[in-house]
């Protein structure tokens, strides 16, 4: 793995709002693994958003597009905020995250939901509800209503305006994300809950039928259940520990994963991985990012929680770099930092000291040194 041709190429794109701030800390953590654990990564930083737009007229300039095209994995920060008003809608759309997901066919979005006992007092749900919460939401990411055509806003004959979007799914689109869910469940507790709205929507009727058919054909060893999306939202709040792997469509997954963030204490805690199909070499394109947005209200203040971005590096280590031992190490270090009282403002109990974004990065790096001291460096 010392040969540069075998290096895994990673593009680090901080983006906008708090994106560059949190990504700076996850970048530090990734560098720690490169230097201390011999992880074979070739890093390339690139810009996105208002700053490159002012220089090039594009939010996604050619050098950033090249870095992302060549990368095996992308460490992404965030996009959006008040600064978008300076960028014309067409320029923004051309470099949007939706267009990137479509370009790289990042169809499976994995969002782990884990309740950390150290954050019990900061979480809005009761500690007894959060006991043993550890599940993954798999959201279909490149189809559904966010991509369906026709869409638009039109003026009717009577002068009223009408907005319309199209929700649609095909057999292959449903089956490939359902397959990802079943395969993941086989490595966990062996349970998949498929979420739809089959009592109202034809697309959900198709979704449920195809999930059931695939289960019968290939995954009968995995336990399969179904929930309507409204009930799923309630169950996530009522008893989140009942879930192992949840799979659902694009818009439902978008909403449910933010709802589930409350089981982890804060949206700032949530990492994610967006995965493309396997290529002929057995590799897949992947984009790793915290679930939170650009949070323009706190951008530049140095108070954002970087743990969602840092834990996204753990997902990268596991899924793109095939370094599960290192992923476990990083997750243990985050647990150790939290157990030691490290808190940013969003997860701080009343009266607790509040760390800056950089200080939380320091806390994780210090915890990595401690945990690594008890581990054998992999060959």
């Amino acid at each position: 793995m010392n040969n540069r041709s075998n290096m895994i190429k990673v593009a680090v794109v901080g983006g906008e709002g708090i994106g560059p701030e949190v990504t700076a800390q996850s970048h530090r953590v990734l560098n720690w693994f490169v230097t201390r654990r011999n992880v074979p990564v070739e890093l390339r930083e690139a810009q996105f958003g208002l700053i490159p737009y002012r220089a090039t007229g594009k939010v996604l300039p050619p050098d950033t597009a090249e870095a992302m095209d060549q990368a095996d994995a992308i460490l992404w920060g965030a996009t959006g905020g008040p600064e978008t008003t300076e960028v014309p809608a067409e320029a923004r759309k051309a470099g949007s995250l939706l267009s990137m997901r479509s370009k790289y066919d990042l169809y499976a979005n994995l969002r782990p939901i884990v309740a950390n006992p150290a954050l019990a007092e900061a979480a809005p749900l009761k500690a007894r509800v959060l006991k043993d919460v550890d599940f993954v939401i798999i959201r279909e990411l490149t189809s559904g209503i966010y991509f369906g055509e026709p869409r638009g806003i039109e003026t009717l004959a009577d002068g009223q305006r009408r907005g319309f979007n199209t929700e649609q799914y095909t057999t292959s689109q449903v089956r490939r994300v359902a397959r990802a869910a079943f395969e993941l469940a086989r490595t966990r507790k062996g349970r998949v809950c498929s979420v739809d709205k089959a009592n109202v929507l034809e697309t959900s009727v198709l979704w449920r039928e195809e999930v059931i058919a695939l289960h019968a054909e290939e995954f009968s060893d995995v336990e399969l259940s179904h929930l309507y999306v409204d009930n799923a939202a309630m169950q996530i709040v009522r008893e989140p520990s009942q879930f192992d792997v949840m799979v659902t469509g694009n818009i439902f997954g978008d909403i449910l994963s933010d709802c589930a963030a409350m089981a982890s204490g804060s949206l700032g805690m949530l990492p994610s991985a967006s995965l493309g199909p396997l290529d002929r070499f057995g590799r897949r394109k992947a984009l790793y990012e915290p679930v939170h947005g650009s949070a323009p209200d706190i951008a530049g203040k140095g108070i954002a929680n970087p743990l969602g971005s840092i834990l996204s590096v753990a997902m990268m280590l596991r899924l793109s770099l095939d370094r599960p031992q290192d992923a476990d190490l990083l997750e243990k270090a985050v647990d150790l930092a939290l157990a030691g009282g490290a808190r940013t403002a969003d997860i701080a109990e009343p009266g607790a000291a509040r760390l800056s974004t950089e200080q939380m990065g320091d806390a994780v790096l210090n915890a990595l040194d401690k945990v690594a001291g008890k581990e054998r460096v992999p060959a």
Side-chain angles (χ1 to χ4, degrees):
M1 296 296 287
N2 291 325
N3 189 312
R4 288 184 65 85
S5 65
N6 290 324
M7 300 286 278
I8 300 298
K9 294 182 178 181
V10 177
V12 181
V13 187
E16 300 166 295
I18 63 171
E21 300 171 52
V22 298
T23 306
Q25 303 312 309
S26 55
H27 192 177
R28 291 173 68 199
V29 168
L30 189 52
N31 272 327
W32 186 95
F33 282 92
V34 172
T35 58
R36 294 286 300 277
R37 305 283 286 188
N38 303 316
V39 174
V41 168
E42 181 182 328
L43 295 169
R44 179 174 173 182
E45 287 193 88
Q47 288 188 323
F48 173 93
L50 181 60
I51 292 175
Y53 176 78
R54 286 171 171 167
T56 69
K58 295 182 178 181
V59 294
L60 184 65
D63 61 323
T64 301
E66 179 188 72
M68 295 176 68
D69 286 347
Q70 293 180 356
D72 300 292
I74 300 161
L75 182 59
W76 180 265
T79 181
E83 65 270 19
T84 60
T85 59
E86 294 189 39
V87 181
E90 284 305 309
R92 172 66 61 180
K93 184 177 179 180
S96 71
L97 197 53
L98 283 178
S99 67
M100 292 179 212
R101 290 167 180 169
S102 180
K103 177 181 180 180
Y104 300 127
D105 197 15
L106 304 175
Y107 69 91
N109 180 233
L110 279 61
R111 299 187 172 188
I113 311 297
V114 180
N116 193 303
L119 298 179
E121 291 301 315
L125 300 180
K126 294 178 180 178
R128 62 177 173 79
V129 175
L130 299 181
K131 188 175 186 299
D132 301 324
V133 170
D134 181 356
F135 68 102
V136 179
I137 295 176
I138 299 187
R139 167 190 172 191
E140 198 289 320
L141 202 59
T142 56
S143 307
I145 200 166
Y146 292 167
F147 290 89
E149 297 288 348
R151 62 189 297 159
I153 299 174
E154 64 183 3
T155 301
L156 302 177
D158 63 0
Q160 293 189 81
R161 300 172 74 219
R162 179 174 68 179
F164 55 96
N165 292 86
T166 303
E167 164 81 352
Q168 59 185 15
Y169 272 109
T170 65
T171 296
S172 60
Q173 289 166 345
V174 174
R175 286 195 169 213
R176 68 175 182 172
V177 73
R179 179 173 284 106
F182 287 128
E183 290 174 345
L184 179 61
R186 278 178 170 168
T187 70
R188 292 173 52 89
K189 302 170 190 173
R191 303 197 309 271
V192 168
C193 177
S194 177
V195 175
D196 57 47
K197 193 62 176 171
N199 58 334
V200 176
L201 302 174
E202 283 78 8
T203 46
S204 282
V205 172
L206 173 75
W207 179 283
R208 185 172 292 208
E209 290 176 348
E210 293 299 336
V211 170
I212 290 172
L214 179 65
H215 176 255
E217 293 165 11
E218 301 181 28
F219 297 98
S220 58
D221 57 305
V222 177
E223 179 184 323
L224 174 63
S225 62
H226 304 270
L227 285 177
Y228 296 141
V229 63
D230 43 354
N231 189 16
M234 181 184 72
Q235 295 298 330
I236 285 173
V237 176
R238 189 186 74 85
E239 189 186 350
S241 62
Q242 68 183 282
F243 298 113
D244 179 23
V245 176
M246 178 181 285
V247 63
T248 189
N250 206 337
I251 190 169
F252 295 158
D254 191 2
I255 296 166
L256 290 178
S257 57
D258 276 24
C259 173
M262 294 302 96
S264 68
S266 167
L267 192 64
M269 292 293 300
L270 295 192
S272 78
S274 301
L275 307 178
L278 289 172
D279 64 18
R280 60 193 180 95
F281 301 109
R283 288 184 174 181
R284 64 172 89 231
K285 195 86 166 184
L287 184 146
Y288 298 90
E289 61 177 324
V291 171
H292 63 70
S294 62
D297 56 319
I298 61 170
K301 296 181 180 180
I303 62 173
N305 186 348
L307 292 181
S309 186
I310 288 171
L311 288 169
S312 295
V313 170
M315 297 189 78
M316 181 189 298
L317 288 166
R318 184 171 285 117
L319 298 173
S320 286
L321 295 165
D322 194 23
R323 307 278 290 208
Q325 186 177 353
D326 286 323
D328 291 344
L329 187 76
L330 179 50
E331 290 166 351
K332 289 176 183 176
V334 170
D335 288 345
L336 181 62
L338 292 172
R343 300 287 188 273
T344 44
D346 61 315
I347 54 173
E349 301 88 349
R354 301 183 175 195
L355 301 184
S356 68
T357 306
E358 185 175 2
Q359 287 170 333
M360 180 60 89
D362 292 339
V364 173
L365 289 168
N366 290 336
L368 272 170
D369 287 336
K370 292 178 182 177
V371 176
K374 303 175 184 179
E375 299 275 344
R376 182 172 63 87
V377 177

